[in-house]
């Protein structure tokens, strides 16, 4: 939330702010020919008006509530050079395409200032309706990372034990048999014929698939750090309980965009990153792990990254595809 203001001593009434706000129509020209925040209730604080103003006459001042003070981080305004916004195509392409998942990190801590630069990039990432419903948990304490690794290993080992439990297997077999009998009874009632087909295989297939995955990821007790890849830094992105029906379905995507911004910013700072999907799954399923990380009960982990300085050197960008591409344009007539 921000408190917006217009410095009319600087304003030249160019009305670029009104034009850029065409979707919400928050800013309108008043009787004096000056811009004015007329329909403020519609404002989503996207900042387009501030960004487009050539005289820097519009300012946003953050309003931080008392219960947000302890953990609030504010990404303030930054200057832009309008004459230098064309980027070097090769540099941008290499930043995007040469950014690789990294699972081999040097035993070197990431400097606090560098972490803040990554955080700043993630906070500025776009979100649906500019709701910014994202929280960031940063973990760089080595002892705590080791403890988290143990928690993850224990979590997946317990899940595998459940899938290996004979009682669970027997229960699944009974459930399948009961389902088959119900299906047979329903068929006989409707057609007068007994259904002699095989029981529904979907539950059995799901069981086998989940067990196979757990066998791959639930390592033995003497295994080395694997889930966090010995990374010196973990960033977890959660989405909170607040929502609007319009944008709620985009929250996971918003977290993914923020994580992507963080990954790219890390690359620009000489760091490497790896997405931690198993951490995301475990924290959302295990209340004890969530509580130990200080994550709120009603928050959901939608992205998690391991970051650090890589011990690897890459020499080529590998190919990708083939993928399906359908052109719906003038190219079709030129083919």
């Amino acid at each position: 939330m921000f408190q917006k203001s217009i410095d009319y001593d600087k304003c030249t009434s160019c009305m670029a702010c009104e034009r850029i706000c065409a979707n919400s129509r928050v800013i309108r020209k008043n009787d004096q020919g000056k811009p004015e925040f007329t329909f403020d209730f519609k404002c989503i604080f996207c900042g387009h008006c501030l960004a487009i103003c050539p005289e820097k006459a519009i300012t946003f001042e953050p309003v931080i509530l008392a219960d947000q003070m302890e953990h609030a981080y504010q990404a303030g305004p930054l200057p832009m050079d309008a004459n230098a916004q064309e980027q070097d195509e090769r540099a941008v392409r290499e930043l995007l395409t040469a950014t690789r998942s990294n699972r081999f990190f040097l035993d070197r801590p990431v400097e606090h200032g560098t972490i803040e630069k990554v955080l700043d990039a993630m906070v500025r990432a776009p979100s649906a309706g500019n709701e910014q419903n994202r929280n960031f948990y940063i973990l760089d304490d080595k002892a705590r990372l080791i403890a988290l690794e143990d928690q993850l290993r224990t979590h997946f080992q317990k899940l595998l034990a459940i899938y290996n439990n004979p009682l669970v297997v027997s229960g699944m077999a009974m459930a399948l048999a009961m389902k088959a009998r119900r299906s047979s009874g329903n068929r006989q009632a409707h057609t007068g014929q007994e259904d002699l087909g095989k029981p529904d295989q979907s539950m059995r297939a799901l069981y086998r698939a989940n067990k196979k995955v757990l066998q791959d990821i639930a390592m033995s007790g003497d295994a080395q750090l694997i889930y966090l890849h010995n990374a010196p830094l973990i960033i977890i992105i959660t989405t909170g309980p607040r929502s609007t029906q319009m944008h709620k379905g985009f929250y996971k995507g918003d977290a993914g965009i923020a994580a992507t911004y963080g990954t790219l910013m890390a690359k620009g700072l000489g760091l490497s990153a790896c997405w931690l999907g198993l951490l995301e799954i475990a924290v959302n399923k295990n209340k004890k792990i969530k509580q130990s990380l200080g994550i709120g009960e009603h928050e959901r982990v939608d992205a998690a990254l391991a970051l650090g300085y890589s011990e690897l050197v890459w020499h080529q960008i590998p190919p990708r595809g083939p993928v399906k591409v359908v052109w719906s344009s003038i190219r079709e007539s030129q083919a």
Side-chain angles (χ1 to χ4, degrees), residues 77-332:
L78 294 174
M80 293 180 65
D81 184 353
N83 297 318
Q85 290 184 27
E86 287 191 13
Q87 303 296 322
D88 180 82
E89 181 268 341
R90 181 176 178 180
V92 173
R93 182 183 62 187
E94 186 162 323
L95 175 66
L96 294 174
T97 58
T99 300
R100 310 201 57 73
S101 292
N102 182 84
R103 296 172 178 82
F104 297 91
F105 297 97
L106 296 174
D107 185 15
R108 172 184 169 186
V110 181
E111 301 80 1
H112 184 80
T114 301
I115 298 174
E116 282 205 334
K117 290 178 180 178
V118 174
L119 174 62
D120 193 81
M122 293 192 293
V123 171
R124 297 180 191 277
S127 60
N130 195 39
E131 287 199 21
Q132 302 180 51
N133 188 14
R134 301 166 300 205
N135 302 312
F136 301 88
Y137 293 83
I138 300 173
L139 185 61
D140 62 352
D141 179 80
K142 191 170 185 178
R144 186 65 195 87
L145 288 169
I146 293 174
L148 177 59
E149 181 73 31
D150 290 338
Q151 288 177 302
L152 295 175
R153 183 181 298 115
T154 299
H155 171 79
F156 287 112
Q157 286 174 344
K158 285 183 176 179
L159 278 183
L160 181 59
I162 292 173
Y163 274 78
N164 285 330
N165 190 322
L167 294 177
V168 174
V169 177
S170 298
M172 187 199 70
M174 290 178 60
L176 284 172
M178 292 175 63
K179 185 174 181 180
R181 283 198 294 269
R182 284 196 300 269
S183 297
S184 178
N186 291 336
R187 178 176 174 82
Q188 191 169 11
H190 285 87
T191 67
Q193 299 177 352
E194 185 177 0
D195 186 358
L196 300 177
K198 294 182 178 180
D200 189 334
Q201 297 297 309
S202 60
M203 188 183 298
R204 191 187 304 275
L206 180 62
Y207 166 82
R208 289 174 175 170
N210 287 344
K211 183 177 178 179
K212 177 63 171 64
V213 171
L214 286 168
Q215 287 173 331
D216 291 339
I217 65 177
M219 303 298 290
S220 61
D222 60 351
Q224 298 300 310
L225 293 170
I226 56 165
Y227 298 106
L228 307 181
H229 311 299
N230 280 317
L233 170 67
I234 302 297
I235 298 181
I236 299 172
I237 305 174
T238 71
T239 51
R242 80 172 187 269
S243 68
T244 63
Q245 292 304 312
M246 180 180 294
H247 299 128
K248 185 176 181 180
F250 297 108
Y251 286 164
K252 185 173 180 63
D254 292 343
I257 294 170
T260 301
Y261 270 48
T263 298
L264 294 173
M265 188 68 216
K267 172 72 174 179
L269 294 167
L271 301 172
S272 290
C274 179
W275 205 285
L276 299 176
L278 294 179
L279 172 61
E280 178 184 331
I281 293 170
V283 176
N284 285 327
K285 294 291 186 181
N286 193 311
K287 290 184 178 180
K288 289 184 178 180
I289 299 179
K290 178 181 280 190
Q291 290 172 352
S292 70
L293 293 169
I295 298 174
E297 179 182 355
H298 300 292
E299 293 179 67
R300 173 183 170 81
V301 176
D302 278 330
L305 295 174
L307 293 98
Y309 292 99
S310 175
E311 67 174 52
L312 306 175
V313 177
W314 308 104
H315 298 285
Q316 287 194 79
I317 299 173
R320 289 289 185 263
V323 298
K324 181 177 180 180
V325 177
V326 180
W327 291 94
S328 298
S329 68
I330 194 172
R331 292 172 183 264
E332 293 178 336

Side-chain angles (χ1 to χ4, degrees), residues 21-80:
C21 195
N23 188 45
S24 299
R25 304 296 290 172
V26 175
I27 298 181
R28 303 290 291 273
K29 183 184 290 188
N30 62 20
D31 295 339
Q32 289 74 44
K34 297 285 186 178
E36 184 177 306
F37 294 112
T38 307
F39 298 109
D40 218 20
F41 66 94
K42 295 183 178 180
C43 184
I44 63 171
F45 302 97
C46 66
H48 280 0
C49 57
L50 180 149
I52 203 69
C53 180
E55 306 301 329
K56 299 181 176 60
I58 298 177
T59 57
F60 280 27
E61 290 295 330
V63 178
I64 302 175
L65 302 178
D67 60 350
Q68 299 174 326
M69 290 297 296
E70 183 180 1
H71 300 291
Y73 175 85
Q74 178 63 43
L78 294 174
M80 293 180 65

